[in-house]
Amino acid sequence: QVQLVESGGGLVQAGGSLRLSCAASGRTFSSYSMGWFRQAPGKEREFVAAINWSGGLENYADSVKGRFTISRENAKNTVYLQMNNLKPEDTAVYYCATNPARTPSTMVADYDYWGQGTQVTVSS
């Protein structure tokens, strides 16, 4: 199975930026899509962004479109989430996950392997 480790979270002021990384080990990422999700205390896990590992297709939640960018470095088996103009409502634990389908999905149920998450806190 695939092991995923997120990093790059932290505490930032509103309007600041962070870049999250998701390093994968185990099975190859070829033909697998990757997604970023987030979960705040007392709320359900929600979709943030997804990308086709081999095809470059991208999908974003409306709440982050124009501010966040998902990208990948296949040679390093790593997926990134560049987060700009952060807002307090972005505060959550951010998770990366694998999707066996080629097309990036917005649905939590379509993802099979998950990382442990990295905390992002945005202060006003």
Side-chain angles (χ1 to χ4, degrees):
Q1 62 179 15
V2 176
Q3 185 176 20
L4 304 172
V5 180
E6 302 96 336
S7 62
L11 174 64
V12 297
Q13 292 276 344
S17 298
L18 285 173
R19 189 179 74 160
L20 306 183
S21 298
C22 175
S25 62
R27 297 184 184 276
T28 181
F29 269 72
S30 298
S31 300
Y32 275 68
S33 297
M34 296 291 300
W36 285 98
F37 295 78
R38 65 188 182 186
Q39 188 168 22
K43 295 186 177 181
E44 295 183 354
R45 190 165 299 186
E46 66 175 354
F47 169 77
V48 176
I51 188 168
N52 187 332
W53 189 254
S54 59
L57 297 175
E58 301 173 17
N59 204 350
Y60 296 94
D62 289 341
S63 60
V64 306
K65 202 164 190 175
R67 298 188 297 122
F68 292 8
T69 303
I70 188 170
S71 61
R72 69 287 171 111
E73 293 286 346
N74 288 350
K76 299 179 180 179
N77 275 353
T78 301
V79 177
Y80 304 97
L81 184 68
Q82 178 67 46
M83 305 186 295
N84 298 326
N85 192 24
L86 284 161
K87 304 175 180 180
E89 52 262 44
D90 295 319
T91 296
V93 177
Y94 283 71
Y95 301 89
C96 65
T98 60
N99 180 357
R102 295 189 190 93
T103 303
S105 171
T106 65
M107 304 299 294
V108 170
D110 290 336
Y111 291 79
D112 48 8
Y113 295 104
W114 296 80
Q116 294 296 311
T118 184
Q119 176 71 47
V120 172
T121 303
V122 184
S123 62
S124 60

